[in-house]
Amino acid sequence: RMLKSVLCTVLFMGALPSLAEVSQGHISVILLGATGDLAKKYLWQGLFQLYMDQVSSGHSFTFHGAALTALEPGQRLMFDVLKNLACPPDESPDRCAVLKDQFLKLSQYHQLKTAENYTVLNREIQTLLLQEGLKEAGRIFYFSVPPFAYTEIARHINSSCRPPPGAWLRVVLEKPFGHDLESAQQLAAELTSFFKEEEMYRVDHYLGKQAVAHILPFRHQNQQFLDPIWNRHHVERVEVVLKETVDAKGRTSFYEQYGVIRDVLQNHLTEALMFLTMELPANVSRAEEVLQSKLQAFQSLRGLEKSSAVLGQYQAYASQVQEELQKARDYISTTPTFAGVLIHSDSLRWEGVPFLLASGKALDERVGYVRVLFKNLAYCAQSETLRDAEHSQCKPRQIIFYIGHGALNTPAILVSRNLFKPVMPESSWREAVGQSNLHIFGQPLSDYYVYNPVKERDAYSVLISNIYHARKDFFITTENLLASWGFWTPLLDSISQQPLRLYPGGVENQHLLDFEMVSGEVAFTLAEPVELLNPDRLMPNDYKTIQTKFRQSPLVSAWSEELISQLASDIEKIAHKTVAESGQFHLALSGGSSPVVLFQRLARHHYAFPWKHTHIWLVDERCVPLTDTESNFFSLHSHLLQNVRVPYFNVHPMPVHLNQRLCVEEDRGTELYAKEITALVANASFDLVLLGMGTDGHTASLFPYSENGLEGAQTVVLTESPVKPHQRMSLSLPLINKARQVFVLVLGKGKHAITTLLSRVGHQPRKWPISGVSPSSGQLVWYVDYEAMLG
């Protein structure tokens, strides 16, 4: 009887106090992909560590390696790995030898290829336990296989290899968990049809790194010191960084699909950031509370724009892709191997604090860290040389969770001595003694309290232990996974064709990848060397011959970025002039996608704008609640209002939601808005109305052949859109034409056809409402980018 003989040997070695304790049941661990790289490098060692740690826990174990390889070669490959397993340095050689021998005896190989193979495995487990007289406690299936195989394996486990009732099932999944939000949703739906949420453990091995795993416990144990300073008033910035010296050679087929953001930022670095920024739950030991707090932290993140990221690619990458994937010599890859991303949170605690995430291959050093840098408002009159680090308020103040490698070459937690002496669990972390002459972030190591793990453990050993203990907070739930992809996918879509900065790799990069934060955006600090620029791109001065009139009105045309910059400047000039004349500026803004970049430009670059004296009105609104993402006001609030200081009583959303109903005529929302305009806007004549233009020639929410708003005395009207949401509220054409200034913004190739058509037609507002825009005593100016103008 194999299991009993193993237990007796372990008892003889003094690992178990009595056989009576061996009664908690049996655990079968099935490692799928048992002969693959990950299994060889980490997983078998992690399972052996679990066995060493838990041999006296009262559970008995068997370990089943499984792969597609046939029995004999698979067995040989697997046991070649098992023979090289190692014990920690503090384990006695005798005990190590016995435990290793027992682990090998408890391990066996299976070919798992067909549904029948899974049925046979299930029968073998049941027969073994019956022979040994043991009760099954649970099964762990570790999927160390590509994600495309998950669904089929899940189906086989669910149909023929589940443990009996009363025993638990834990299924461990390795990343990548999808490529974007849609693929992650699809994979999650497939897995959810076979497994319950509590049965799935998605591994992000960074959550097993000792410095990352201790972020939450550190915050909890040092709450008395951190509570006053862990917020936007005291934190200057947060950096989450993973730098690698290796390149993607040999892995280009994976890298071409994923790139650095999907490979590292969306998962590892984001997860570390969540541990740092989430609100501390009442009980940090309760997985449900931790996961809920993490989800709330995701939901408070501000959406990313194209300008939130800088991207690079090491120069040898293209030739490696061509060689490894047999691509043509002229193949151009748009896959980033370096990324720096600026993230903001709208939570009260972190509003305004920049979170910088950065990672790349072929960089100058291998290092990972999470760094919290605190603001320093002190001025020290006395020379720093006369002060020790502990009492100097003028030295930088920071907390660093040092993940590993780099100058320290070990996991560590560092706290500036001028902050506080942290509380650390002595059983697992010890203060470093005999400080060396190393410098970390420009400061000697002696400026910090430095703590290292008492026992350094591999991330996979930590995670496998957490799987055994059912610690779900160290894993990625379906809800958190989809929240993360929901946050990152819009950025990934927006940068899919963005030009990348080429860099030579290693120390030769010098300052080429340095980037800085300016007005909520990030940009490389140094201009790109001339030889790396794309010479084929048409520059704005190539189009200086474009006419300066469009439909008999002034025309401003440029590349979209330059055009938005000009438009924002022109709006600010009019605002200052109007405020100087009348004391206030009434600005009516359209909804839709085109104005979003303008809103962001105004918020991030126009700090002298007279917002205090500006009234913001809506040109049109969709009949949805103002908190709905479809709402024009919601977009205006997200991209402009929450970032500038407009007095709240100067903001005038359209009353589309009255009496718990949306745009019902009897509620007289249009009359209310018309009265508000008449009461506050002199002669109901706005100082400036910003319009857009649809591909069908509509403007505001005035659509071709609309029954309302194209003529007549009514100033605010309800209209019908041909696309959802159908119901709209809009200013009428006669009211728009009373404005002192009307600007029309037209962006993108998709507007080329309608722009060309409009250049030829006359005043036909019933067919093309935009053609009816003609201010009676004001000025109309067209802002059309080159793509809309020239296609």
Side-chain angles (χ1 to χ4, degrees):
R1 296 205 171 190
M2 179 190 70
L3 282 174
K4 285 192 177 167
S5 68
V6 167
L7 287 170
C8 289
T9 311
V10 174
L11 274 168
F12 181 73
M13 291 300 297
L16 288 174
S18 72
L19 191 59
E21 291 193 20
V22 188
S23 58
Q24 289 188 34
H26 182 78
I27 296 172
S28 304
V29 181
I30 301 97
L31 174 54
L32 299 135
T35 56
D37 277 352
L38 186 64
K40 288 178 193 172
K41 285 181 185 171
Y42 301 109
L43 300 182
W44 279 117
Q45 185 63 51
L47 292 173
F48 181 44
Q49 184 66 54
L50 175 72
Y51 179 64
M52 287 188 282
D53 292 343
Q54 301 303 328
V55 74
S56 58
S57 68
H59 282 126
S60 57
F61 291 88
T62 46
F63 298 90
H64 305 264
L68 298 174
T69 313
L71 190 61
E72 201 176 308
Q75 222 163 17
R76 193 168 54 248
L77 283 167
M78 186 180 105
F79 280 97
D80 283 347
V81 177
L82 299 193
K83 285 168 195 168
N84 292 314
L85 294 174
C87 292
D90 57 353
E91 193 67 77
S92 75
D94 287 349
R95 187 170 187 271
C96 177
V98 170
L99 289 173
K100 189 172 169 183
D101 181 56
Q102 301 311 331
F103 185 77
L104 263 67
K105 285 178 180 170
L106 294 172
S107 301
Q108 50 187 289
Y109 178 81
H110 308 260
Q111 183 184 31
L112 284 186
K113 203 170 184 178
T114 64
E116 177 60 23
N117 294 151
Y118 285 85
T119 306
V120 170
L121 171 63
N122 186 53
R123 197 182 306 131
E124 284 180 16
I125 292 171
Q126 289 174 337
T127 304
L128 176 69
L129 296 180
L130 198 62
Q131 288 171 351
E132 302 289 349
L134 291 167
K135 184 184 176 186
E136 188 160 12
R139 291 181 196 177
I140 296 172
F141 281 88
Y142 201 119
F143 286 37
S144 180
V145 295
F148 66 76
Y150 284 2
T151 306
E152 188 185 352
I153 294 170
R155 186 179 290 109
H156 292 323
I157 293 170
N158 187 55
S159 63
S160 57
C161 212
R162 273 185 171 273
W168 46 256
L169 171 68
R170 291 177 196 150
V171 176
V172 188
L173 306 160
E174 277 285 342
K175 82 171 185 79
F177 314 117
H179 183 265
D180 53 18
L181 180 58
E182 189 180 353
S183 58
Q185 285 170 328
Q186 185 182 341
L187 181 58
E190 288 167 1
L191 290 170
T192 306
S193 65
F194 300 116
F195 304 130
K196 297 173 190 166
E197 181 62 37
E198 63 267 24
E199 293 175 331
M200 289 186 282
Y201 289 72
R202 290 184 186 84
V203 167
D204 183 327
H205 76 273
Y206 252 62
L207 298 187
K209 300 275 187 185
Q210 286 169 289
V212 176
H214 198 65
I215 292 174
L216 268 191
F218 177 91
R219 288 180 57 195
H220 175 65
Q221 288 151 11
N222 292 281
Q223 213 167 344
Q224 57 177 322
F225 307 119
L226 291 174
D227 264 356
I229 60 171
W230 203 252
N231 55 57
R232 61 195 167 104
H233 302 297
H234 295 273
V235 175
E236 182 182 308
R237 69 204 237 178
V238 174
E239 299 170 2
V240 188
V241 174
L242 173 61
K243 294 168 71 177
E244 297 183 90
T245 52
V246 297
D247 61 20
K249 193 171 185 181
R251 290 185 72 219
T252 55
S253 99
F254 168 83
Y255 227 74
E256 271 297 273
Q257 288 183 68
Y258 288 92
V260 69
I261 294 180
R262 290 181 174 92
D263 185 34
V264 174
L265 278 78
Q266 178 270 328
N267 37 68
H268 303 333
L269 303 194
T270 305
E271 289 298 322
L273 181 67
M274 292 301 97
F275 274 165
L276 205 77
T277 58
M278 62 188 264
E279 291 300 311
L280 269 186
N283 185 348
V284 293
S285 300
R286 285 204 66 218
E288 301 83 4
E289 290 187 36
V290 171
L291 292 166
Q292 197 53 42
S293 277
K294 192 195 283 189
L295 189 62
Q296 286 165 359
F298 266 122
Q299 290 163 347
S300 70
L301 296 180
R302 194 178 301 172
L304 296 173
E305 309 289 340
K306 192 188 286 190
S307 56
S308 305
V310 287
L311 306 169
Q313 185 188 88
Y314 65 84
Q315 281 172 302
Y317 180 76
S319 58
Q320 288 170 355
V321 169
Q322 289 162 7
E323 183 185 333
E324 291 178 20
L325 304 183
Q326 282 85 51
K327 298 284 186 183
R329 284 285 157 206
D330 59 350
Y331 174 77
I332 295 171
S333 169
T334 55
T335 302
T337 61
F338 169 84
V341 178
L342 175 61
I343 294 174
H344 281 101
S345 169
D346 287 327
S347 72
L348 282 175
R349 182 182 296 278
W350 297 113
E351 188 181 20
V353 176
F355 304 133
L356 286 173
L357 272 57
S359 184
K361 293 195 172 290
L363 301 182
D364 61 316
E365 62 175 338
R366 184 185 183 192
V367 69
Y369 58 83
V370 179
R371 180 190 183 206
V372 183
L373 185 65
F374 292 87
K375 294 175 182 175
N376 204 327
L377 305 176
Y379 169 75
C380 297
Q382 193 80 328
S383 167
E384 283 296 297
T385 55
L386 302 175
R387 294 164 165 265
D388 61 49
E390 205 161 336
H391 299 104
S392 170
Q393 288 309 306
C394 285
K395 286 200 170 186
R397 300 185 301 160
Q398 49 199 325
I399 298 173
I400 302 152
F401 299 92
Y402 202 86
I403 298 165
H405 306 293
L408 290 179
N409 203 31
T410 173
I413 292 174
L414 300 90
V415 179
S416 292
R417 287 180 178 270
N418 57 1
L419 271 173
F420 56 85
K421 183 173 173 61
V423 177
M424 296 292 283
E426 290 178 16
S427 58
S428 51
W429 292 84
R430 60 172 167 233
E431 190 169 359
V433 288
Q435 306 283 41
S436 70
N437 57 0
L438 281 176
H439 280 65
I440 302 292
F441 297 112
Q443 287 180 270
L445 217 51
S446 56
D447 279 5
Y448 302 95
Y449 295 110
V450 183
Y451 296 85
N452 301 122
V454 169
K455 193 175 182 180
E456 209 170 316
R457 296 193 65 175
D458 167 69
Y460 279 97
S461 296
V462 173
L463 291 174
I464 287 169
S465 173
N466 287 328
I467 294 161
Y468 169 80
H469 288 106
R471 284 292 308 270
K472 288 283 286 186
D473 45 329
F474 283 87
F475 299 88
I476 315 301
T477 63
T478 302
E479 206 173 9
N480 276 282
L481 173 71
L482 299 182
S484 179
W485 275 121
F487 174 68
W488 284 100
T489 298
L491 175 71
L492 289 163
D493 289 344
S494 72
I495 61 172
S496 59
Q497 298 301 317
Q498 192 166 320
L500 307 170
R501 169 160 293 195
L502 295 179
Y503 59 96
V507 291
E508 290 178 42
N509 296 333
Q510 296 184 30
H511 300 297
L512 199 59
L513 296 178
D514 293 355
F515 59 91
E516 56 191 32
M517 302 169 286
V518 182
S519 305
E521 301 176 355
V522 280
F524 284 117
T525 309
L526 295 180
E528 192 159 13
V530 174
E531 64 269 22
L532 298 182
L533 285 171
N534 179 358
D536 300 327
R537 189 183 173 200
L538 291 164
M539 299 309 287
N541 58 3
D542 294 319
Y543 288 146
K544 288 301 179 196
T545 54
I546 282 184
Q547 66 211 50
T548 55
K549 292 263 182 185
F550 182 74
R551 293 183 57 81
Q552 289 79 55
S553 293
L555 168 71
V556 180
S557 197
W559 288 113
S560 57
E561 282 181 36
E562 189 187 349
L563 184 74
I564 293 296
S565 174
Q566 183 64 53
L567 173 58
S569 297
D570 290 349
I571 292 173
E572 183 176 353
K573 278 179 201 159
I574 292 169
H576 280 298
K577 185 170 179 288
T578 309
V579 169
E581 289 169 359
S582 63
Q584 52 191 4
F585 175 54
H586 288 276
L587 173 64
L589 296 167
S590 285
S593 56
S594 293
V596 168
V597 281
L598 171 68
F599 298 160
Q600 291 165 348
R601 180 84 198 177
L602 286 168
R604 294 172 186 172
H605 295 272
H606 291 263
Y607 297 106
F609 199 101
W611 293 117
K612 189 178 175 184
H613 305 287
T614 299
H615 283 257
I616 304 281
W617 301 84
L618 271 288
V619 168
D620 62 328
E621 182 57 281
R622 297 157 187 220
C623 293
V624 295
L626 299 186
T627 53
D628 193 305
T629 52
E630 291 271 4
S631 162
N632 290 340
F633 182 79
F634 182 90
S635 174
L636 176 66
H637 176 267
S638 301
H639 299 289
L640 179 66
L641 297 180
Q642 70 175 357
N643 301 312
V644 296
R645 299 195 174 203
V646 181
Y648 76 91
F649 40 76
N650 282 11
V651 178
H652 309 279
M654 282 185 156
V656 293
H657 200 180
L658 295 170
N659 304 318
Q660 299 182 327
R661 305 190 292 186
L662 292 165
C663 293
V664 173
E665 212 163 321
E666 303 89 86
D667 293 338
R668 300 187 166 183
T670 55
E671 288 178 36
L672 283 173
Y673 208 55
K675 282 178 183 172
E676 194 175 356
I677 292 168
T678 305
L680 295 173
V681 183
N683 305 316
S685 174
F686 290 108
D687 297 307
L688 175 60
V689 173
L690 177 74
L691 299 175
M693 177 177 71
T695 52
D696 60 354
H698 83 262
T699 192
S701 280
L702 304 171
F703 297 92
Y705 305 104
S706 175
E707 292 178 17
N708 299 322
L710 297 178
E711 54 194 15
Q714 208 176 348
T715 55
V716 184
V717 294
L718 291 177
T719 66
E720 287 282 326
S721 162
V723 295
K724 288 184 178 179
H726 297 298
Q727 276 194 300
R728 308 286 175 94
M729 187 179 287
S730 178
L731 302 186
S732 70
L733 201 53
L735 181 63
I736 289 168
N737 284 333
K738 285 182 75 175
R740 295 170 67 187
Q741 294 270 351
V742 178
F743 289 173
V744 181
L745 175 62
V746 186
L747 298 176
K749 283 183 184 176
K751 303 288 174 69
H752 176 58
I754 186 66
T755 304
T756 306
L757 177 70
L758 273 173
S759 67
R760 302 176 187 142
V761 302
H763 180 86
Q764 292 181 271
R766 288 203 50 80
K767 267 193 180 180
W768 302 287
I770 190 71
S771 71
V773 176
S774 178
S776 49
S777 56
Q779 186 186 36
L780 169 64
V781 183
W782 294 81
Y783 290 80
V784 186
D785 77 345
Y786 288 146
E787 290 191 326
M789 185 62 70
L790 304 168

